[in-house]
Amino acid sequence: MVDETCYHGGAFWERLDPRFHSPNRFGDIINADVLDAWFPPSPRVADALADIAEWSMQTSPPTYSEGLIAEIASHYAVPEDQLLVGAGSSSLWFLFASRTLRPSSHVLLIEPSYGEYAHVCEQVVGCRVSKLTLSPDDGFRLDLEQWTARLADGAFDLAVLVNPNNPTGHPVGRDDLLAALRAVPRRTLVLIDEAYMEFWNPGESLLSVADLPPNVSVVCSFSKRFALSGLRAAMLRTNPHLRSDLARWTPPWAVSLPAQAATCAAFRDLAYYHDLYQETHRLRGELASGLARLGLEVHDSCANWLNLRVPRAEAFRAACLREGLFVRNLGKSAPSLGDEWVRVAVKDASTNQRMVDAIGSIVACRT
């Protein structure tokens, strides 16, 4: 039987009450199997939501997120007719795929990468998928020349590239990527997912590129970068024609009023987030050092996670569960990785130390 949904993190909810009948004790677990931000939203976000708390729950939001789109357009200096917003980047991807793909379509994906892309193409749309597989032997780095060579004959209807790539953690520079994109035949649509770009370098984003090729679309989540995972908000930049078609299939009130208000407030306090992205790099380095001292093979990223190469990843994940630590078995959504890779999210300093201690106990029991 084919799974109807994609494999994701979030298994920590198995220890909590998803019906919220009683207070949830989040502090008893470490939810390192999802890449939610370790830091809180900006105080301006908290103030904005506090000001409209009850009112925002009983009042319909702006029907098509007009104010949020205006805020985004102003920030990136992009025309509003190129922008669409939705309840998270996965929501926008489902919409994008439903309007641009059909069973006869041929899609090029990177392996490993965010699992929802393969799931939608293979299990929802049912189209043909080819994959460019990255190897741990060269650090999972993408060869752009090889990627563009695969696309050169125009045989693909869509290519998807996550930048920085999740889960490998490696980015592609904007100038190199733009040169590659301009070599892709115009009949091939390209979707660039920049969910973790802010953790690496916002100056490398394609979102504000004035002469972006018309066959290129860029999706960006606000969930991770602004610590708004629970509110669900994201944007898509695409050409006006495709944007118009996608907008026709977007329901009214697609983004909640709290999510619209919070995202607008976050855009007005970017300095707060910039400092926390820099702190994330420091915390990731400390976590990597702590895990390496345990004798583990640690693969760094440019964002808010680390990858560990371990024998029998699923058994390792199960052992972590007994310690209240939830980690991601990457092979569950990336078959090329087999049963030897897990991903852990970067948390605050004290939680990172709890992770090191828990994994240290597991390693000690295995040796």
Side-chain angles (χ1 to χ4, degrees), residues 310-317 339-342 366:
V310 297
R312 298 189 302 132
E314 186 59 21
F316 182 87
R317 186 188 73 86
D339 189 39
E340 56 179 345
W341 292 91
V342 297
R366 289 187 167 192

Side-chain angles (χ1 to χ4, degrees), residues 11-30:
F12 61 91
W13 278 104
E14 296 170 5
R15 299 277 184 92
L16 302 174
D17 178 13
R19 297 180 66 183
F20 306 99
H21 286 159
S22 58
N24 277 308
R25 299 177 61 186
F26 294 97
D28 293 344
I29 62 171
I30 303 175

Side-chain angles (χ1 to χ4, degrees), residues 6-268:
C6 180
Y7 174 80
H8 287 289
F12 61 91
W13 278 104
E14 296 170 5
R15 299 277 184 92
L16 302 174
D17 178 13
R19 297 180 66 183
F20 306 99
H21 286 159
S22 58
N24 277 308
R25 299 177 61 186
F26 294 97
D28 293 344
I29 62 171
I30 303 175
N31 61 335
D33 62 334
V34 291
L35 297 179
D36 297 337
W38 62 268
F39 48 81
S42 158
R44 292 192 186 183
V45 171
D47 290 344
L49 293 179
D51 288 344
I52 61 170
E54 291 187 6
W55 182 75
S56 70
M57 288 184 277
Q58 69 187 72
T59 304
S60 297
T63 310
Y64 295 107
S65 307
E66 295 88 346
L68 175 56
I69 288 176
E71 188 76 37
I72 295 168
S74 175
H75 175 73
Y76 289 109
V78 173
E80 292 185 21
D81 66 358
Q82 296 183 19
L83 300 175
L84 193 71
V85 294
S89 57
S90 290
S91 174
L92 290 170
W93 160 236
F94 270 75
L95 172 64
F96 185 95
S98 71
R99 298 302 301 158
T100 61
L101 299 178
R102 54 187 60 86
S104 60
S105 299
H106 192 187
V107 180
L108 179 64
L109 300 178
I110 302 298
E111 162 83 14
S113 194
Y114 179 50
E116 203 70 71
Y117 291 113
H119 170 74
V120 169
C121 291
E122 296 171 340
Q123 309 301 342
V124 179
V125 178
C127 60
R128 180 185 173 195
V129 172
S130 295
K131 296 182 179 181
L132 178 59
T133 303
L134 307 180
S135 171
D137 296 337
D138 55 11
F140 295 109
R141 297 188 182 277
L142 172 66
D143 184 333
L144 270 182
E145 290 186 2
Q146 184 183 12
W147 185 70
T148 52
R150 290 285 297 273
L151 298 172
D153 63 0
F156 288 96
D157 299 286
L158 172 68
V160 180
L161 192 63
V162 181
N163 188 37
N165 190 34
N166 169 26
T168 65
H170 292 299
V172 177
R174 185 173 72 169
D175 292 345
D176 290 338
L177 182 53
L178 276 173
L181 291 173
R182 289 174 179 137
V184 174
R186 289 297 172 90
R187 75 161 303 274
T188 300
L189 295 177
V190 181
L191 180 64
I192 307 295
D193 182 341
E194 293 189 348
Y196 301 94
M197 179 62 70
E198 301 298 313
F199 285 96
W200 176 47
N201 184 350
E204 297 290 328
S205 172
L206 298 182
L207 287 170
S208 58
V209 173
D211 57 344
L212 194 67
N215 60 324
V216 176
S217 300
V218 186
V219 64
C220 173
S221 169
F222 300 130
S223 300
K224 309 303 189 296
R225 64 187 282 191
F226 289 152
L228 301 177
S229 287
L231 291 180
R232 315 306 304 158
M235 63 168 283
L236 175 74
R237 179 187 173 188
T238 191
N239 66 74
H241 176 76
L242 181 53
R243 189 268 180 196
S244 179
D245 180 69
L246 296 175
R248 283 196 296 269
W249 289 88
T250 300
W253 315 294
V255 181
S256 72
L257 180 50
Q260 292 187 41
T263 307
C264 285
F267 268 111
R268 296 165 195 154

Side-chain angles (χ1 to χ4, degrees), residues 291 294 296 354-367:
L291 294 171
L294 300 176
L296 294 171
R354 287 171 58 198
M355 271 198 277
V356 172
D357 293 342
I359 293 174
S361 298
I362 294 167
V363 171
C365 290
R366 289 187 167 192
T367 56

Side-chain angles (χ1 to χ4, degrees), residues 255-278:
V255 181
S256 72
L257 180 50
Q260 292 187 41
T263 307
C264 285
F267 268 111
R268 296 165 195 154
D269 199 5
L270 295 178
Y272 166 85
Y273 290 102
H274 176 269
D275 291 344
L276 289 165
Y277 302 144
Q278 300 308 306

